[in-house]
Amino acid sequence: MKKLIIIIVAVALGYLINLKFVDIAYAMGFAELKKEAILINDQKMKVKCDSYAFGFFDEIKLENKFQQCINDYQAQGYVLLDAVPTDSDV
């Protein structure tokens, strides 16, 4: 019974420490960014542009690179089929 209580306390303590770490990391700018776009041309060929970063990163630089990928394919005749921006902070 004593071991069970120790395990429960350890898990609860670990959970609380993890929550505080996430709050501190978020306050310092630690984040996750994922964006994905699917483009298609008139021959039904699909291409994908994606951007992913985890940690400390320059969001503007990643966004510009992602948009440049889309622009390059659109210049070749591709049309944006689906765009999935999923920004989430840790």
Side-chain angles (χ1 to χ4, degrees), residues 33 35 50-53 56-71:
L33 173 79
K35 291 189 174 194
D50 59 352
S51 178
Y52 180 78
F56 301 100
F57 54 85
D58 185 2
E59 187 174 354
I60 295 171
K61 192 177 204 181
L62 286 172
E63 180 66 33
N64 288 341
K65 186 177 177 183
F66 177 70
Q67 191 60 47
Q68 185 62 45
C69 177
I70 293 173
N71 292 343

Side-chain angles (χ1 to χ4, degrees), residues 25-51:
Y26 175 70
M28 294 175 60
F30 193 87
E32 179 180 16
L33 173 79
K34 180 179 181 186
K35 291 189 174 194
E36 185 177 285
I38 300 172
L39 296 98
I40 190 168
N41 66 4
D42 56 351
Q43 299 172 345
K44 306 295 183 206
M45 294 176 57
K46 293 181 181 180
V47 293
K48 181 169 74 169
C49 292
D50 59 352
S51 178

Side-chain angles (χ1 to χ4, degrees), residues 13-32 54-56 88-90:
L13 186 61
Y15 179 74
L16 291 175
I17 290 172
N18 184 45
L19 284 179
K20 290 299 176 185
F21 173 75
V22 169
D23 291 341
I24 292 169
Y26 175 70
M28 294 175 60
F30 193 87
E32 179 180 16
F54 185 73
F56 301 100
S88 62
D89 294 323
V90 170

